[in-house]
Amino acid sequence: MTNRVDEETPLLNQQKTKKKPTPLPWFQLSIVLFLQLSEPLTSQVIYPFSPELIRDIGITHGNEKKVGYYVGIMQSIFFLTQAFTVLHWSRTSDSVGRKPVILIGLFGLSVSMYCFGLSRTFWGLVLSRSLNGALNGNIGVIKSMMTELTDTTNIARAYAYMPIAWSTGGTLGPVIGGSLSRPVERFPKLFGDNDFLKKYPYFLPCAVPATYTALAWLVTYLFLKETVRHPVPVLQFLGLRKDKNDKKQLQNGVDAQEQGSIASAPKQDIPDDEKPLPLRSLLIPKVIIAAGNYASLSLVDIAYRAVQPVFLSTPIEDGGLGLSPAQIGNVMSAFGILNGIFQIFFFASIHDRWGSKRTFIVGIAAALPVFASFPIINTLARTQGYSALVWSVLAFQVLVSILISLSYGAVFIFIAGASPNRASLGATNGLSQMSVSVMRAIGPAAANSLYSLSIDQGYLGGNLVYYILMGVVVVALYFSTLLPRDAWT
């Protein structure tokens, strides 16, 4: 009778055997956060000046209402190319290790940002962003490394610190992009005689994150430790060098049958739960549900991030707020600062109290008032100008949008818990990131095209885009109900 198991037994055992949180590996965690800063820094820096850049290169031929369409394409192309490659990079990291793939990703980020700053045509911008997306597979790989550096007792605390990188990048990126674009005009005493910056007015804000990424590459190469337990040497993985065991066997004249048995011996020493699984083994309900919710969250979030700068830069009479790049940078930086503070100090406690599922749902639901705020801000600006009430509603929108970020930490935990084994973390994260990249490729172009169409044709007073995006949020809320109550079961 003492071994009898009933419905209460798991709960009682969990209460009795609740583990003390494992201390976080701060040095390695700090390096991961440091290199992760490259991602938001390089992506956020272009947002304040991207509408102005599109106008300057002349692709719209002076038609202000087409700016959002081309900005959306430029933003989406990164995620489109990433969608084709991120699963490959993540699965490769399961075999060769996280560190080599991260180094390649940082190299791709740095080179592509220098190229972006030197681009003077729309197709040059598209090519630079394509290079950025194709070479950069770090998003899924870093999440896998974060999971491998933690366990179930401290993973929520670790993910609470992940917004440090994203919030810092979200703060500094817009400031850099908004203040350093067109430096000859902004700082004539410093750069007035610089012919290079006259020719390439957006190179300076792109060069800052590109140089930072090059520094992150060096720090990663020198100090980051590999977290994959049995990495295959890169040259051997590429087929450019044979396994040492094979060389010894050939030197000793071992016959083919013995050779095969010896070669397979090291692989037999690796436990099954530390061998990467084939891709079809990942297509199970818990992985598909976690990845699907990550994708729906990303679609909602990227649509908001894409529409926001275009709305803020569009003249009031055309349905926006008519702010300058510097003002847009300040608004986006304020979000970055507040989001970082909120996530660091409150995410872990909110997650521990509410659980992963409820935390995720609250974050998704917050997008409804965020999208509803856009037409309210424009209506107030039309009637009152830049009144205190307009700035108050804009501040409300920024503050509520912080809650959306809660969903990211929660869904990352669901994805980590969904992985069939430790050695398939990279592939699981890669599969999830591939679906997210598809949504993020669709999101900016679709949202900004809808935005341009709404104000150009005057559908629902120019507000059709916001009604459609709120409908997307409702669908995402339905998908969130399919998540399990416990991320680790």
Side-chain angles (χ1 to χ4, degrees):
M1 294 296 292
T2 56
N3 293 328
R4 182 177 175 270
V5 178
D6 57 29
E7 292 180 348
E8 294 183 355
T9 303
L11 178 60
L12 294 172
N13 286 343
Q14 286 175 5
Q15 292 174 343
K16 292 178 182 179
T17 61
K18 188 175 182 180
K19 295 181 180 179
K20 183 179 179 181
T22 306
L24 291 171
W26 282 111
F27 183 66
Q28 290 298 303
L29 185 62
S30 299
I31 295 174
V32 172
L33 295 176
F34 179 79
L35 66 91
Q36 191 183 24
L37 177 58
S38 300
E39 300 270 353
L41 202 59
T42 53
S43 64
Q44 295 291 321
V45 74
I46 72 171
Y47 281 97
F49 64 77
S50 56
E52 189 176 53
L53 172 59
I54 291 298
R55 295 185 188 103
D56 288 352
I57 61 177
I59 189 69
T60 63
H61 302 291
N63 188 339
E64 182 68 27
K65 296 178 181 179
K66 289 185 178 180
V67 170
Y69 172 73
Y70 287 101
V71 169
I73 291 177
M74 187 176 67
Q75 293 169 351
S76 295
I77 197 68
F78 165 84
F79 298 107
L80 182 62
T81 54
Q82 187 185 68
F84 288 110
T85 60
V86 68
L87 178 58
H88 167 75
W89 289 121
S90 297
R91 294 187 70 193
T92 299
S93 75
D94 283 337
S95 298
V96 305
R98 315 297 181 204
K99 187 172 178 178
V101 175
I102 288 174
L103 289 173
I104 294 173
L106 292 173
F107 174 81
L109 273 178
S110 183
V111 171
S112 63
M113 283 308 297
Y114 282 122
C115 292
F116 190 90
L118 294 172
S119 300
R120 300 182 65 188
T121 65
F122 179 72
W123 292 111
L125 298 174
V126 168
L127 182 61
S128 300
R129 294 295 284 172
S130 299
L131 178 66
N132 192 317
L135 291 179
N136 180 30
N138 284 359
I139 298 178
V141 178
I142 288 175
K143 290 170 190 170
S144 300
M145 179 169 274
M146 288 286 286
T147 303
E148 289 163 338
L149 288 171
T150 59
D151 56 35
T152 57
T153 66
N154 59 11
I155 190 171
R157 286 179 58 211
Y159 279 128
Y161 288 100
M162 285 187 72
I164 292 179
W166 289 98
S167 299
T168 303
T171 302
L172 296 179
V175 170
I176 294 169
S179 60
L180 297 185
S181 61
R182 308 186 72 88
V184 174
E185 299 174 10
R186 293 181 182 277
F187 309 103
K189 292 183 179 179
L190 288 176
F191 305 108
D193 298 327
N194 194 310
D195 293 333
F196 178 81
L197 293 179
K198 288 180 182 178
K199 186 176 181 180
Y200 303 102
Y202 303 100
F203 176 78
L204 188 59
C206 294
V208 172
T211 304
Y212 175 88
T213 303
L215 177 62
W217 187 97
L218 183 62
V219 171
T220 300
Y221 179 78
L222 293 175
F223 300 111
L224 186 65
K225 293 183 180 179
E226 182 57 65
T227 55
V228 172
R229 292 177 178 175
H230 307 282
V232 177
V234 176
L235 292 179
Q236 182 180 324
F237 179 79
L238 295 174
L240 301 177
R241 188 181 71 186
K242 291 185 177 181
D243 187 8
K244 293 180 180 179
N245 291 325
D246 294 338
K247 290 183 178 180
K248 290 180 181 179
Q249 293 155 13
L250 291 173
Q251 291 173 356
N252 296 332
V254 182
D255 62 39
Q257 184 176 359
E258 293 174 338
Q259 207 173 1
S261 61
I262 296 174
S264 62
K267 296 180 181 178
Q268 293 174 350
D269 294 336
I270 302 175
D272 289 340
D273 62 349
E274 294 184 21
K275 295 178 182 178
L277 297 175
L279 183 60
R280 63 179 180 275
S281 299
L282 302 181
L283 301 179
I284 54 178
K286 63 179 181 178
V287 173
I288 293 172
I289 291 173
N293 274 277
Y294 186 20
S296 65
L297 165 64
S298 298
L299 179 60
V300 170
D301 186 49
I302 199 66
Y304 167 60
R305 306 302 170 195
V307 166
Q308 184 191 32
V310 180
F311 169 83
L312 294 177
S313 70
T314 301
I316 294 175
E317 58 272 16
D318 288 330
L321 195 54
L323 301 183
S324 66
Q327 290 174 311
I328 296 172
N330 290 336
V331 171
M332 297 177 73
S333 296
F335 164 80
I337 294 172
L338 295 172
N339 184 52
I341 294 172
F342 182 81
Q343 298 296 323
I344 292 168
F345 289 103
F346 298 106
F347 172 74
S349 58
I350 289 174
H351 178 271
D352 290 344
R353 175 171 293 186
W354 290 354
S356 299
K357 184 173 183 176
R358 189 178 298 176
T359 302
F360 181 84
I361 292 175
V362 168
I364 290 285
L368 288 172
V370 167
F371 286 126
S373 300
F374 281 115
I376 296 174
I377 293 171
N378 177 252
T379 300
L380 292 173
R382 286 175 184 266
T383 57
Q384 303 180 14
Y386 295 112
S387 65
L389 185 57
V390 170
W391 294 113
S392 297
V393 177
L394 180 60
F396 168 80
Q397 183 188 58
V398 171
L399 289 172
V400 175
S401 69
I402 291 172
L403 296 177
I404 299 175
S405 299
L406 286 174
S407 296
Y408 280 104
V411 81
F412 293 160
I413 293 174
F414 275 113
I415 292 170
S419 179
N421 66 7
R422 178 188 175 94
S424 299
L425 270 173
T428 304
N429 276 298
L431 185 65
S432 302
Q433 197 62 49
M434 182 180 70
S435 63
V436 166
S437 296
V438 172
M439 291 297 102
R440 286 178 172 170
I442 297 171
N448 282 334
S449 295
L450 277 171
Y451 177 84
S452 295
L453 181 66
S454 298
I455 63 174
D456 190 26
Q457 301 297 324
Y459 293 133
L460 295 178
N463 299 321
L464 174 65
V465 58
Y466 309 122
Y467 288 103
I468 293 176
L469 291 178
M470 284 190 282
V472 172
V473 176
V474 172
V475 174
L477 282 171
Y478 168 75
F479 285 137
S480 68
T481 62
L482 303 178
L483 288 166
R485 293 180 59 85
D486 185 352
W488 301 105
T489 56

